[in-house]
Amino acid sequence: MILAGRLLLPDDADGVELAAGTVELDGDTIAAVNVGDTTTQADAGGPDALICPAFTDTHLHLPQFDQVGAHVTPLLRWLQDVTFPNERRWENTGFARGMAERVVGQLLSVGTSGVAAYATVHAEGTRAALEVFTQRGFRGVIGQTLIDREAPDYLCRPADQLLDETAALLDKFSPGQRMSAAVTPRFAITCTAPLLEGAGRLAAERHAAVQSHLAETVAECDFVGELFGGKRYVDVYRDAGLLRPGSLWGHGIHLDDADRVTLRGHDAVVAHCPTANSFLRSGSMPWREHHAADVAVSLGSDIGGGYERSMVRVARAMIETAAARGDAYPTAAQAWRQITAGNAELLPGPDGGVLLPGATADVLVIEPDVPWLDHPDPLAMLLWAWDDRWLERTVVRGEVGYAAG
Ligand code: GUN
Ligand code: ZN
């Protein structure tokens, strides 16, 4: 397959640049990237098309796709009243598998082929989701959410059982595979210290990815303080051995300089979820402070606390959130970099998010209906005028996973 248009390529800083050319796919791999070649007969694209690496979403909840818009704030109430009853549905593995299949279709239709996702506490539902995402060529991790307290009985399990189940998932979906299991303690409130410590040991033994939530709301931080004898929230995870290089910490809003030093010192990543933070009124992540402290920041939709599936619109919310704080904020080029190579590099597992010979053929063909190439800042126009109907096709591992029309 040959795709032609403006290629979205990483620049030497932290942005992207556009170059006219073609991308040649051979099976599941990019065989060649021909900058300057505008003459070749192409299978898709054209002079005004954008050829872009597929997007990566570094924080989302698969079972929550049907609860978007359910608005019972604040977070801890929303979990008890909306989210936990909803996640119970995954005790039926057939339901979980069907929902995972539907979610895959929804993600491909907005150009996402890489995920760091949460399933539920149900091991079999998590396994089904991993099978579905593997089969559809996705890249990334899915985790069984570990819960042994502060949730309804129907979602709590003994710590040993949860750790055995996640270990069994890691046997089959081991790190390094295109889709692997992640060690996923839901957050410190729903996990006893032995469960957190067991999760930290398991991640170390298996070199497994870790993901969880951190400092999303003030009430949550206060409750963690009560549950763990006044310890700092970040230190609870650090002391359990969970603050591992590349570990993904959802939200990371209510943190101070000392917390940033701890996160940076452990090469941990904050998964910024701006749409969820505004929807649940949790606060706004200090993008400038995290960047100034050299804390790695990825971007996630956090469906269904977040309401927006499209990573382009989540990137837009990232800019608006930072700007509303009166801070320095990311440029459009940085936003495009974030949802492609930036997020892909921070996703556990194989790399993606780049148009390079030898890379996996996860590529989008985008055909804007606006004269974006005449705009003084074409990438800004694409971002702010974005319309999902511009997505002509999503190619995953060389196969057309979604086609418009
Ligand atoms: N903290 C613990 N669980 C969740 C969740 O499902 N969504 C969000 N936004 N925060 C959480
Ligand atoms: Zn979340």
Side-chain angles (χ1 to χ4, degrees):
M1 195 187 311
I2 298 180
L3 311 174
R6 300 295 161 136
L7 314 183
L8 189 97
L9 305 170
D11 68 8
D12 292 339
D14 57 356
V16 290
E17 57 194 12
L18 295 165
T22 57
V23 176
E24 271 177 63
L25 312 184
D26 182 11
D28 63 3
T29 304
I30 296 178
V33 177
N34 308 306
V35 172
D37 170 19
T38 51
T39 56
T40 315
Q41 194 65 30
D43 299 294
D48 297 335
L50 175 71
I51 309 299
C52 177
F55 303 135
T56 295
D57 184 343
T58 65
H59 187 110
L60 70 162
H61 296 259
L62 306 179
Q64 294 180 18
F65 270 62
D66 295 344
Q67 71 176 67
V68 169
H71 200 198
V72 184
T73 54
L75 170 74
L76 299 180
R77 259 217 95 101
W78 173 85
L79 285 172
Q80 296 290 341
D81 294 353
V82 177
T83 303
F84 291 151
N86 189 41
E87 294 196 3
R88 185 179 195 178
R89 299 180 305 165
W90 277 43
E91 67 193 16
N92 177 338
T93 306
F95 178 87
R97 183 179 297 279
M99 184 157 183
E101 275 163 3
R102 181 156 51 84
V103 166
V104 159
Q106 291 171 334
L107 291 172
L108 291 174
S109 74
V110 292
T112 296
S113 73
V115 292
Y118 292 60
T120 61
V121 75
H122 310 99
E124 287 314 307
T126 307
R127 182 183 299 272
L130 276 159
E131 285 167 1
V132 168
F133 276 68
T134 300
Q135 200 248 325
R136 297 296 294 275
F138 269 66
R139 192 172 30 84
V141 295
I142 299 177
Q144 173 191 19
T145 49
L146 310 180
I147 302 174
D148 70 346
R149 67 167 170 193
E150 295 296 337
D153 288 347
Y154 58 77
L155 287 187
C156 292
R157 307 278 186 276
D160 287 349
Q161 178 189 332
L162 291 169
L163 296 170
D164 288 349
E165 288 173 345
T166 292
L169 288 169
L170 281 163
D171 289 340
K172 172 111 192 276
F173 298 96
S174 37
Q177 290 175 216
R178 218 171 127 84
M179 281 303 304
S180 61
V183 173
T184 308
R186 186 170 204 125
F187 64 159
I189 289 178
T190 57
C191 300
T192 59
L195 178 55
L196 290 176
E197 285 156 16
R201 274 196 303 277
L202 183 61
E205 280 163 23
R206 302 299 192 94
H207 306 287
V210 171
Q211 57 180 350
S212 186
H213 296 89
L214 169 68
E216 181 177 0
T217 68
V218 172
E220 166 200 354
C221 296
D222 291 346
F223 196 13
V224 170
E226 277 172 41
L227 291 168
F228 290 90
K231 226 187 233 188
R232 303 182 76 83
Y233 199 165
V234 178
D235 295 352
V236 170
Y237 291 135
R238 181 199 60 194
D239 294 353
L242 286 162
L243 222 53
R244 297 172 51 75
S247 52
L248 283 168
W249 299 95
H251 305 285
I253 297 176
H254 306 284
L255 300 172
D256 65 14
D257 287 343
D259 299 324
R260 281 186 271 273
V261 168
T262 306
L263 289 168
R264 172 72 195 90
H266 288 79
D267 287 324
V269 180
V270 170
H272 177 29
C273 304
T275 45
N277 299 153
S278 64
F279 185 73
L280 293 175
R281 318 277 191 263
S282 303
S284 66
M285 194 203 76
W287 187 87
R288 184 178 55 79
E289 284 91 329
H290 287 6
H291 276 262
D294 208 16
V295 174
V297 176
S298 69
L299 192 64
S301 69
D302 195 25
I303 298 271
Y307 49 84
E308 184 52 72
R309 288 180 206 157
S310 161
M311 287 310 293
V312 182
R313 273 193 281 269
V314 177
R316 216 152 72 179
M318 167 182 75
I319 295 176
E320 295 204 280
T321 302
R325 291 176 63 90
D327 286 351
Y329 53 85
T331 63
Q334 285 174 312
W336 282 102
R337 173 73 166 255
Q338 177 87 64
I339 61 178
T340 53
N343 269 2
E345 281 160 10
L346 296 172
L347 192 71
D351 279 351
V354 282
L355 302 180
L356 275 181
T360 307
D362 287 5
V363 190
L364 309 177
V365 179
I366 294 163
E367 295 184 343
D369 65 358
V370 289
W372 64 291
L373 290 167
D374 300 334
H375 192 276
D377 186 347
L379 290 169
M381 178 166 209
L382 283 190
L383 188 82
W384 292 99
W386 179 257
D387 187 330
D388 292 322
R389 289 169 294 184
W390 297 350
L391 185 59
E392 198 273 330
R393 69 175 71 177
T394 303
V395 178
V396 182
R397 299 194 77 177
E399 304 265 331
V400 179
Y402 163 81

